[in-house]
PDB file of all heavy atoms in Angstrom:
ATOM      1  N   LEU A1201     -20.957  69.563-110.357  1.00 86.00           N
ATOM      2  CA  LEU A1201     -20.903  68.799-109.121  1.00 86.00           C
ATOM      3  C   LEU A1201     -20.729  69.809-107.879  1.00 86.00           C
ATOM      4  O   LEU A1201     -21.364  69.575-106.886  1.00 86.00           O
ATOM      5  CB  LEU A1201     -19.769  67.877-109.107  1.00 86.00           C
ATOM      6  CG  LEU A1201     -19.607  66.945-107.930  1.00 86.00           C
ATOM      7  CD1 LEU A1201     -20.894  66.140-107.737  1.00 86.00           C
ATOM      8  CD2 LEU A1201     -18.432  65.988-108.096  1.00 86.00           C
ATOM      9  N   LEU A1202     -19.917  70.842-108.111  1.00 87.00           N
ATOM     10  CA  LEU A1202     -19.755  71.790-106.990  1.00 87.00           C
ATOM     11  C   LEU A1202     -21.049  72.590-106.751  1.00 87.00           C
ATOM     12  O   LEU A1202     -21.410  72.765-105.537  1.00 87.00           O
ATOM     13  CB  LEU A1202     -18.698  72.856-107.432  1.00 87.00           C
ATOM     14  CG  LEU A1202     -17.235  72.410-107.299  1.00 87.00           C
ATOM     15  CD1 LEU A1202     -16.281  73.484-107.871  1.00 87.00           C
ATOM     16  CD2 LEU A1202     -16.806  72.077-105.906  1.00 87.00           C
ATOM     17  N   ILE A1203     -21.808  72.952-107.796  1.00 86.00           N
ATOM     18  CA  ILE A1203     -23.083  73.630-107.568  1.00 86.00           C
ATOM     19  C   ILE A1203     -24.008  72.618-106.863  1.00 86.00           C
ATOM     20  O   ILE A1203     -24.701  73.034-105.881  1.00 86.00           O
ATOM     21  CB  ILE A1203     -23.666  73.942-108.938  1.00 86.00           C
ATOM     22  CG1 ILE A1203     -22.882  75.141-109.597  1.00 86.00           C
ATOM     23  CG2 ILE A1203     -25.193  74.389-108.809  1.00 86.00           C
ATOM     24  CD1 ILE A1203     -23.265  75.439-111.002  1.00 86.00           C
ATOM     25  N   LEU A1204     -24.028  71.398-107.168  1.00 84.00           N
ATOM     26  CA  LEU A1204     -24.953  70.390-106.576  1.00 84.00           C
ATOM     27  C   LEU A1204     -24.562  70.274-105.086  1.00 84.00           C
ATOM     28  O   LEU A1204     -25.448  70.137-104.286  1.00 84.00           O
ATOM     29  CB  LEU A1204     -24.827  69.085-107.380  1.00 84.00           C
ATOM     30  CG  LEU A1204     -25.785  67.908-106.840  1.00 84.00           C
ATOM     31  CD1 LEU A1204     -27.195  68.334-106.912  1.00 84.00           C
ATOM     32  CD2 LEU A1204     -25.508  66.707-107.705  1.00 84.00           C
ATOM     33  N   ILE A1205     -23.329  70.142-104.822  1.00 84.00           N
ATOM     34  CA  ILE A1205     -22.846  69.950-103.404  1.00 84.00           C
ATOM     35  C   ILE A1205     -23.283  71.176-102.579  1.00 84.00           C
ATOM     36  O   ILE A1205     -23.775  71.061-101.426  1.00 84.00           O
ATOM     37  CB  ILE A1205     -21.325  69.695-103.329  1.00 84.00           C
ATOM     38  CG1 ILE A1205     -21.072  68.293-103.880  1.00 84.00           C
ATOM     39  CG2 ILE A1205     -20.845  69.862-101.877  1.00 84.00           C
ATOM     40  CD1 ILE A1205     -19.532  68.045-103.987  1.00 84.00           C
ATOM     41  N   GLY A1206     -23.155  72.391-103.121  1.00 82.00           N
ATOM     42  CA  GLY A1206     -23.530  73.599-102.468  1.00 82.00           C
ATOM     43  C   GLY A1206     -25.018  73.617-102.197  1.00 82.00           C
ATOM     44  O   GLY A1206     -25.478  73.979-101.073  1.00 82.00           O
ATOM     45  N   LEU A1207     -25.745  73.286-103.268  1.00 81.00           N
ATOM     46  CA  LEU A1207     -27.243  73.175-103.066  1.00 81.00           C
ATOM     47  C   LEU A1207     -27.635  72.157-102.008  1.00 81.00           C
ATOM     48  O   LEU A1207     -28.453  72.413-101.223  1.00 81.00           O
ATOM     49  CB  LEU A1207     -27.837  72.934-104.441  1.00 81.00           C
ATOM     50  CG  LEU A1207     -29.409  72.892-104.527  1.00 81.00           C
ATOM     51  CD1 LEU A1207     -29.973  74.270-104.132  1.00 81.00           C
ATOM     52  CD2 LEU A1207     -29.874  72.481-105.909  1.00 81.00           C
ATOM     53  N   GLU A1208     -27.053  70.884-102.106  1.00 75.00           N
ATOM     54  CA  GLU A1208     -27.271  69.930-101.122  1.00 75.00           C
ATOM     55  C   GLU A1208     -26.975  70.440 -99.722  1.00 75.00           C
ATOM     56  O   GLU A1208     -27.727  70.112 -98.736  1.00 75.00           O
ATOM     57  CB  GLU A1208     -26.455  68.687-101.410  1.00 75.00           C
ATOM     58  CG  GLU A1208     -26.864  67.894-102.663  1.00 75.00           C
ATOM     59  CD  GLU A1208     -28.055  67.063-102.426  1.00 75.00           C
ATOM     60  OE1 GLU A1208     -28.576  66.946-101.312  1.00 75.00           O
ATOM     61  OE2 GLU A1208     -28.445  66.319-103.369  1.00 75.00           O
ATOM     62  N   GLY A1209     -25.882  71.207 -99.557  1.00 75.00           N
ATOM     63  CA  GLY A1209     -25.534  71.685 -98.223  1.00 75.00           C
ATOM     64  C   GLY A1209     -26.612  72.591 -97.691  1.00 75.00           C
ATOM     65  O   GLY A1209     -26.977  72.498 -96.524  1.00 75.00           O
ATOM     66  N   LEU A1210     -27.127  73.621 -98.505  1.00 73.00           N
ATOM     67  CA  LEU A1210     -28.147  74.515 -98.063  1.00 73.00           C
ATOM     68  C   LEU A1210     -29.469  73.762 -97.656  1.00 73.00           C
ATOM     69  O   LEU A1210     -30.103  74.017 -96.668  1.00 73.00           O
ATOM     70  CB  LEU A1210     -28.361  75.538 -99.085  1.00 73.00           C
ATOM     71  CG  LEU A1210     -27.176  76.566 -99.270  1.00 73.00           C
ATOM     72  CD1 LEU A1210     -27.500  77.457-100.428  1.00 73.00           C
ATOM     73  CD2 LEU A1210     -27.065  77.410 -98.032  1.00 73.00           C
ATOM     74  N   LEU A1211     -29.816  72.768 -98.526  1.00 71.00           N
ATOM     75  CA  LEU A1211     -31.097  72.009 -98.323  1.00 71.00           C
ATOM     76  C   LEU A1211     -30.906  71.080 -97.068  1.00 71.00           C
ATOM     77  O   LEU A1211     -31.859  70.793 -96.359  1.00 71.00           O
ATOM     78  CB  LEU A1211     -31.378  71.231 -99.543  1.00 71.00           C
ATOM     79  CG  LEU A1211     -31.774  72.029-100.755  1.00 71.00           C
ATOM     80  CD1 LEU A1211     -32.084  71.133-101.950  1.00 71.00           C
ATOM     81  CD2 LEU A1211     -33.003  72.929-100.533  1.00 71.00           C
ATOM     82  N   SER A1212     -29.678  70.610 -96.863  1.00 69.00           N
ATOM     83  CA  SER A1212     -29.424  69.648 -95.765  1.00 69.00           C
ATOM     84  C   SER A1212     -29.659  70.323 -94.418  1.00 69.00           C
ATOM     85  O   SER A1212     -30.027  69.711 -93.461  1.00 69.00           O
ATOM     86  CB  SER A1212     -27.983  69.141 -95.872  1.00 69.00           C
ATOM     87  OG  SER A1212     -27.031  70.021 -95.424  1.00 69.00           O
ATOM     88  N   ALA A1213     -29.362  71.656 -94.333  1.00 66.00           N
ATOM     89  CA  ALA A1213     -29.583  72.412 -93.115  1.00 66.00           C
ATOM     90  C   ALA A1213     -31.098  72.219 -92.631  1.00 66.00           C
ATOM     91  O   ALA A1213     -31.382  72.018 -91.557  1.00 66.00           O
ATOM     92  CB  ALA A1213     -29.162  73.846 -93.199  1.00 66.00           C
ATOM     93  N   ASP A1214     -31.967  72.567 -93.643  1.00 65.00           N
ATOM     94  CA  ASP A1214     -33.401  72.439 -93.372  1.00 65.00           C
ATOM     95  C   ASP A1214     -33.826  70.995 -93.017  1.00 65.00           C
ATOM     96  O   ASP A1214     -34.534  70.806 -92.054  1.00 65.00           O
ATOM     97  CB  ASP A1214     -34.161  72.891 -94.657  1.00 65.00           C
ATOM     98  CG  ASP A1214     -35.385  73.746 -94.388  1.00 65.00           C
ATOM     99  OD1 ASP A1214     -35.463  74.240 -93.240  1.00 65.00           O
ATOM    100  OD2 ASP A1214     -36.282  73.768 -95.187  1.00 65.00           O
ATOM    101  N   ASN A1215     -33.219  70.100 -93.795  1.00 68.00           N
ATOM    102  CA  ASN A1215     -33.568  68.678 -93.589  1.00 68.00           C
ATOM    103  C   ASN A1215     -33.042  68.241 -92.163  1.00 68.00           C
ATOM    104  O   ASN A1215     -33.770  67.467 -91.463  1.00 68.00           O
ATOM    105  CB  ASN A1215     -32.879  67.755 -94.626  1.00 68.00           C
ATOM    106  CG  ASN A1215     -33.341  68.103 -95.993  1.00 68.00           C
ATOM    107  OD1 ASN A1215     -34.330  68.875 -96.177  1.00 68.00           O
ATOM    108  ND2 ASN A1215     -32.698  67.567 -97.042  1.00 68.00           N
ATOM    109  N   ALA A1216     -31.866  68.644 -91.751  1.00 69.00           N
ATOM    110  CA  ALA A1216     -31.303  68.218 -90.494  1.00 69.00           C
ATOM    111  C   ALA A1216     -32.172  68.804 -89.415  1.00 69.00           C
ATOM    112  O   ALA A1216     -32.301  68.156 -88.323  1.00 69.00           O
ATOM    113  CB  ALA A1216     -29.852  68.734 -90.373  1.00 69.00           C
ATOM    114  N   LEU A1217     -32.614  70.009 -89.525  1.00 66.00           N
ATOM    115  CA  LEU A1217     -33.544  70.617 -88.477  1.00 66.00           C
ATOM    116  C   LEU A1217     -34.789  69.736 -88.248  1.00 66.00           C
ATOM    117  O   LEU A1217     -35.181  69.466 -87.123  1.00 66.00           O
ATOM    118  CB  LEU A1217     -33.960  71.992 -88.889  1.00 66.00           C
ATOM    119  CG  LEU A1217     -32.820  73.101 -88.705  1.00 66.00           C
ATOM    120  CD1 LEU A1217     -33.323  74.403 -89.241  1.00 66.00           C
ATOM    121  CD2 LEU A1217     -32.411  73.239 -87.225  1.00 66.00           C
ATOM    122  N   VAL A1218     -35.395  69.239 -89.357  1.00 69.00           N
ATOM    123  CA  VAL A1218     -36.592  68.481 -89.246  1.00 69.00           C
ATOM    124  C   VAL A1218     -36.195  67.100 -88.543  1.00 69.00           C
ATOM    125  O   VAL A1218     -37.007  66.597 -87.712  1.00 69.00           O
ATOM    126  CB  VAL A1218     -37.182  68.202 -90.655  1.00 69.00           C
ATOM    127  CG1 VAL A1218     -38.320  67.147 -90.581  1.00 69.00           C
ATOM    128  CG2 VAL A1218     -37.634  69.485 -91.282  1.00 69.00           C
ATOM    129  N   LEU A1219     -35.075  66.484 -88.931  1.00 71.00           N
ATOM    130  CA  LEU A1219     -34.661  65.213 -88.333  1.00 71.00           C
ATOM    131  C   LEU A1219     -34.438  65.420 -86.791  1.00 71.00           C
ATOM    132  O   LEU A1219     -34.760  64.502 -86.033  1.00 71.00           O
ATOM    133  CB  LEU A1219     -33.365  64.683 -88.956  1.00 71.00           C
ATOM    134  CG  LEU A1219     -33.463  64.337 -90.468  1.00 71.00           C
ATOM    135  CD1 LEU A1219     -32.189  63.646 -90.942  1.00 71.00           C
ATOM    136  CD2 LEU A1219     -34.666  63.499 -90.784  1.00 71.00           C
ATOM    137  N   ALA A1220     -33.824  66.518 -86.476  1.00 71.00           N
ATOM    138  CA  ALA A1220     -33.625  66.854 -85.018  1.00 71.00           C
ATOM    139  C   ALA A1220     -34.929  66.979 -84.286  1.00 71.00           C
ATOM    140  O   ALA A1220     -35.074  66.497 -83.115  1.00 71.00           O
ATOM    141  CB  ALA A1220     -32.757  68.152 -84.856  1.00 71.00           C
ATOM    142  N   VAL A1221     -35.864  67.615 -84.924  1.00 73.00           N
ATOM    143  CA  VAL A1221     -37.217  67.745 -84.273  1.00 73.00           C
ATOM    144  C   VAL A1221     -37.868  66.403 -84.104  1.00 73.00           C
ATOM    145  O   VAL A1221     -38.500  66.150 -83.038  1.00 73.00           O
ATOM    146  CB  VAL A1221     -38.166  68.699 -85.142  1.00 73.00           C
ATOM    147  CG1 VAL A1221     -39.574  68.582 -84.693  1.00 73.00           C
ATOM    148  CG2 VAL A1221     -37.648  70.121 -85.104  1.00 73.00           C
ATOM    149  N   ILE A1222     -37.747  65.492 -85.078  1.00 77.00           N
ATOM    150  CA  ILE A1222     -38.396  64.169 -84.957  1.00 77.00           C
ATOM    151  C   ILE A1222     -37.789  63.393 -83.788  1.00 77.00           C
ATOM    152  O   ILE A1222     -38.550  62.684 -83.096  1.00 77.00           O
ATOM    153  CB  ILE A1222     -38.177  63.335 -86.265  1.00 77.00           C
ATOM    154  CG1 ILE A1222     -38.939  63.983 -87.458  1.00 77.00           C
ATOM    155  CG2 ILE A1222     -38.617  61.859 -86.119  1.00 77.00           C
ATOM    156  CD1 ILE A1222     -38.612  63.322 -88.764  1.00 77.00           C
ATOM    157  N   ALA A1223     -36.474  63.541 -83.578  1.00 78.00           N
ATOM    158  CA  ALA A1223     -35.869  62.793 -82.469  1.00 78.00           C
ATOM    159  C   ALA A1223     -35.759  63.554 -81.221  1.00 78.00           C
ATOM    160  O   ALA A1223     -35.128  63.085 -80.195  1.00 78.00           O
ATOM    161  CB  ALA A1223     -34.404  62.390 -82.943  1.00 78.00           C
ATOM    162  N   LYS A1224     -36.355  64.723 -81.097  1.00 75.00           N
ATOM    163  CA  LYS A1224     -36.236  65.643 -79.934  1.00 75.00           C
ATOM    164  C   LYS A1224     -36.671  65.040 -78.649  1.00 75.00           C
ATOM    165  O   LYS A1224     -36.085  65.277 -77.590  1.00 75.00           O
ATOM    166  CB  LYS A1224     -36.925  66.875 -80.238  1.00 75.00           C
ATOM    167  CG  LYS A1224     -36.634  67.984 -79.218  1.00 75.00           C
ATOM    168  CD  LYS A1224     -37.422  69.267 -79.604  1.00 75.00           C
ATOM    169  CE  LYS A1224     -37.218  70.440 -78.628  1.00 75.00           C
ATOM    170  NZ  LYS A1224     -37.831  71.611 -78.973  1.00 75.00           N
ATOM    171  N   HIS A1225     -37.694  64.162 -78.754  1.00 76.00           N
ATOM    172  CA  HIS A1225     -38.242  63.557 -77.497  1.00 76.00           C
ATOM    173  C   HIS A1225     -37.383  62.460 -76.832  1.00 76.00           C
ATOM    174  O   HIS A1225     -37.679  62.103 -75.711  1.00 76.00           O
ATOM    175  CB  HIS A1225     -39.672  63.070 -77.844  1.00 76.00           C
ATOM    176  CG  HIS A1225     -39.638  61.858 -78.726  1.00 76.00           C
ATOM    177  ND1 HIS A1225     -39.370  62.071 -80.074  1.00 76.00           N
ATOM    178  CD2 HIS A1225     -39.787  60.504 -78.555  1.00 76.00           C
ATOM    179  CE1 HIS A1225     -39.359  60.802 -80.619  1.00 76.00           C
ATOM    180  NE2 HIS A1225     -39.673  59.913 -79.751  1.00 76.00           N
ATOM    181  N   LEU A1226     -36.409  61.985 -77.560  1.00 81.00           N
ATOM    182  CA  LEU A1226     -35.596  60.844 -77.073  1.00 81.00           C
ATOM    183  C   LEU A1226     -34.503  61.357 -76.178  1.00 81.00           C
ATOM    184  O   LEU A1226     -34.046  62.495 -76.257  1.00 81.00           O
ATOM    185  CB  LEU A1226     -34.951  60.061 -78.241  1.00 81.00           C
ATOM    186  CG  LEU A1226     -35.882  59.354 -79.164  1.00 81.00           C
ATOM    187  CD1 LEU A1226     -35.138  58.755 -80.362  1.00 81.00           C
ATOM    188  CD2 LEU A1226     -36.630  58.208 -78.422  1.00 81.00           C
ATOM    189  N   PRO A1227     -34.017  60.460 -75.279  1.00 83.00           N
ATOM    190  CA  PRO A1227     -32.801  60.862 -74.463  1.00 83.00           C
ATOM    191  C   PRO A1227     -31.610  61.168 -75.392  1.00 83.00           C
ATOM    192  O   PRO A1227     -31.511  60.733 -76.527  1.00 83.00           O
ATOM    193  CB  PRO A1227     -32.503  59.588 -73.618  1.00 83.00           C
ATOM    194  CG  PRO A1227     -33.803  58.837 -73.616  1.00 83.00           C
ATOM    195  CD  PRO A1227     -34.482  59.179 -74.963  1.00 83.00           C
ATOM    196  N   GLU A1228     -30.661  61.947 -74.870  1.00 77.00           N
ATOM    197  CA  GLU A1228     -29.566  62.461 -75.683  1.00 77.00           C
ATOM    198  C   GLU A1228     -28.758  61.349 -76.453  1.00 77.00           C
ATOM    199  O   GLU A1228     -28.452  61.457 -77.607  1.00 77.00           O
ATOM    200  CB  GLU A1228     -28.617  63.332 -74.875  1.00 77.00           C
ATOM    201  CG  GLU A1228     -27.730  64.201 -75.629  1.00 77.00           C
ATOM    202  CD  GLU A1228     -28.394  65.223 -76.509  1.00 77.00           C
ATOM    203  OE1 GLU A1228     -29.430  65.711 -76.119  1.00 77.00           O
ATOM    204  OE2 GLU A1228     -27.915  65.465 -77.650  1.00 77.00           O
ATOM    205  N   ASP A1229     -28.471  60.295 -75.676  1.00 79.00           N
ATOM    206  CA  ASP A1229     -27.653  59.165 -76.300  1.00 79.00           C
ATOM    207  C   ASP A1229     -28.502  58.455 -77.430  1.00 79.00           C
ATOM    208  O   ASP A1229     -27.951  58.129 -78.454  1.00 79.00           O
ATOM    209  CB  ASP A1229     -27.262  58.221 -75.250  1.00 79.00           C
ATOM    210  CG  ASP A1229     -28.328  57.575 -74.522  1.00 79.00           C
ATOM    211  OD1 ASP A1229     -29.330  58.192 -74.372  1.00 79.00           O
ATOM    212  OD2 ASP A1229     -28.203  56.376 -74.028  1.00 79.00           O
ATOM    213  N   GLU A1230     -29.795  58.302 -77.171  1.00 83.00           N
ATOM    214  CA  GLU A1230     -30.622  57.608 -78.121  1.00 83.00           C
ATOM    215  C   GLU A1230     -30.888  58.549 -79.285  1.00 83.00           C
ATOM    216  O   GLU A1230     -31.036  58.031 -80.474  1.00 83.00           O
ATOM    217  CB  GLU A1230     -31.967  57.158 -77.497  1.00 83.00           C
ATOM    218  CG  GLU A1230     -31.825  56.034 -76.538  1.00 83.00           C
ATOM    219  CD  GLU A1230     -33.136  55.439 -76.126  1.00 83.00           C
ATOM    220  OE1 GLU A1230     -34.170  56.043 -76.587  1.00 83.00           O
ATOM    221  OE2 GLU A1230     -33.193  54.508 -75.326  1.00 83.00           O
ATOM    222  N   LYS A1231     -30.927  59.864 -79.130  1.00 79.00           N
ATOM    223  CA  LYS A1231     -31.271  60.797 -80.187  1.00 79.00           C
ATOM    224  C   LYS A1231     -30.204  60.682 -81.285  1.00 79.00           C
ATOM    225  O   LYS A1231     -30.528  60.562 -82.429  1.00 79.00           O
ATOM    226  CB  LYS A1231     -31.334  62.229 -79.556  1.00 79.00           C
ATOM    227  CG  LYS A1231     -31.728  63.278 -80.572  1.00 79.00           C
ATOM    228  CD  LYS A1231     -31.504  64.680 -79.943  1.00 79.00           C
ATOM    229  CE  LYS A1231     -32.297  64.829 -78.637  1.00 79.00           C
ATOM    230  NZ  LYS A1231     -32.150  66.165 -78.135  1.00 79.00           N
ATOM    231  N   LYS A1232     -28.922  60.702 -80.852  1.00 78.00           N
ATOM    232  CA  LYS A1232     -27.819  60.603 -81.853  1.00 78.00           C
ATOM    233  C   LYS A1232     -27.824  59.270 -82.618  1.00 78.00           C
ATOM    234  O   LYS A1232     -27.649  59.235 -83.794  1.00 78.00           O
ATOM    235  CB  LYS A1232     -26.465  60.794 -81.176  1.00 78.00           C
ATOM    236  CG  LYS A1232     -26.254  62.205 -80.616  1.00 78.00           C
ATOM    237  CD  LYS A1232     -24.975  62.331 -79.920  1.00 78.00           C
ATOM    238  CE  LYS A1232     -24.727  63.764 -79.338  1.00 78.00           C
ATOM    239  NZ  LYS A1232     -23.468  63.860 -78.580  1.00 78.00           N
ATOM    240  N   ARG A1233     -28.086  58.185 -81.882  1.00 83.00           N
ATOM    241  CA  ARG A1233     -28.151  56.915 -82.497  1.00 83.00           C
ATOM    242  C   ARG A1233     -29.348  56.758 -83.447  1.00 83.00           C
ATOM    243  O   ARG A1233     -29.233  56.215 -84.544  1.00 83.00           O
ATOM    244  CB  ARG A1233     -28.289  55.744 -81.422  1.00 83.00           C
ATOM    245  CG  ARG A1233     -26.931  55.469 -80.805  1.00 83.00           C
ATOM    246  CD  ARG A1233     -26.931  54.143 -80.023  1.00 83.00           C
ATOM    247  NE  ARG A1233     -27.866  54.205 -78.889  1.00 83.00           N
ATOM    248  CZ  ARG A1233     -28.834  53.331 -78.708  1.00 83.00           C
ATOM    249  NH1 ARG A1233     -29.040  52.322 -79.589  1.00 83.00           N
ATOM    250  NH2 ARG A1233     -29.634  53.409 -77.658  1.00 83.00           N
ATOM    251  N   ALA A1234     -30.541  57.308 -83.060  1.00 83.00           N
ATOM    252  CA  ALA A1234     -31.641  57.272 -83.920  1.00 83.00           C
ATOM    253  C   ALA A1234     -31.450  57.983 -85.214  1.00 83.00           C
ATOM    254  O   ALA A1234     -31.771  57.462 -86.304  1.00 83.00           O
ATOM    255  CB  ALA A1234     -32.882  57.861 -83.214  1.00 83.00           C
ATOM    256  N   ILE A1235     -30.793  59.195 -85.161  1.00 76.00           N
ATOM    257  CA  ILE A1235     -30.546  59.894 -86.368  1.00 76.00           C
ATOM    258  C   ILE A1235     -29.566  59.148 -87.253  1.00 76.00           C
ATOM    259  O   ILE A1235     -29.634  59.082 -88.495  1.00 76.00           O
ATOM    260  CB  ILE A1235     -29.958  61.339 -86.047  1.00 76.00           C
ATOM    261  CG1 ILE A1235     -31.120  62.150 -85.405  1.00 76.00           C
ATOM    262  CG2 ILE A1235     -29.512  62.027 -87.266  1.00 76.00           C
ATOM    263  CD1 ILE A1235     -30.683  63.534 -84.911  1.00 76.00           C
ATOM    264  N   SER A1236     -28.481  58.542 -86.616  1.00 79.00           N
ATOM    265  CA  SER A1236     -27.488  57.809 -87.377  1.00 79.00           C
ATOM    266  C   SER A1236     -28.102  56.569 -88.058  1.00 79.00           C
ATOM    267  O   SER A1236     -27.858  56.311 -89.269  1.00 79.00           O
ATOM    268  CB  SER A1236     -26.381  57.365 -86.481  1.00 79.00           C
ATOM    269  OG  SER A1236     -25.651  58.426 -85.978  1.00 79.00           O
ATOM    270  N   TYR A1237     -28.904  55.794 -87.330  1.00 81.00           N
ATOM    271  CA  TYR A1237     -29.595  54.651 -87.925  1.00 81.00           C
ATOM    272  C   TYR A1237     -30.561  55.013 -89.020  1.00 81.00           C
ATOM    273  O   TYR A1237     -30.657  54.328 -90.046  1.00 81.00           O
ATOM    274  CB  TYR A1237     -30.310  53.852 -86.794  1.00 81.00           C
ATOM    275  CG  TYR A1237     -29.424  53.153 -85.776  1.00 81.00           C
ATOM    276  CD1 TYR A1237     -29.953  52.657 -84.603  1.00 81.00           C
ATOM    277  CD2 TYR A1237     -28.038  52.994 -85.999  1.00 81.00           C
ATOM    278  CE1 TYR A1237     -29.106  51.988 -83.733  1.00 81.00           C
ATOM    279  CE2 TYR A1237     -27.262  52.454 -85.125  1.00 81.00           C
ATOM    280  CZ  TYR A1237     -27.750  51.823 -83.923  1.00 81.00           C
ATOM    281  OH  TYR A1237     -26.948  51.271 -83.053  1.00 81.00           O
ATOM    282  N   GLY A1238     -31.299  56.138 -88.748  1.00 77.00           N
ATOM    283  CA  GLY A1238     -32.286  56.563 -89.763  1.00 77.00           C
ATOM    284  C   GLY A1238     -31.654  56.971 -91.059  1.00 77.00           C
ATOM    285  O   GLY A1238     -32.088  56.633 -92.136  1.00 77.00           O
TER     286      GLY A1238
END
């Protein structure tokens, strides 16, 4: 489980960057809500 969480953490950084790029065009308040809802 510790190995899996560490692996998920490293992969989540790449994933989070892509999600941020998808929402980049939205206003700041909508950007955070869009990522949370998604």
Side-chain angles (χ1 to χ4, degrees):
L1201 185 58
L1202 284 175
I1203 290 172
L1204 183 58
I1205 290 173
L1207 183 59
E1208 289 280 2
L1210 290 172
L1211 295 177
S1212 74
D1214 219 20
N1215 299 350
L1217 285 173
V1218 174
L1219 299 188
V1221 168
I1222 293 173
K1224 189 177 179 180
H1225 64 286
L1226 294 174
E1228 195 61 35
D1229 59 330
E1230 289 190 359
K1231 185 188 301 182
K1232 292 179 180 178
R1233 283 194 296 126
I1235 292 175
S1236 296
Y1237 290 167

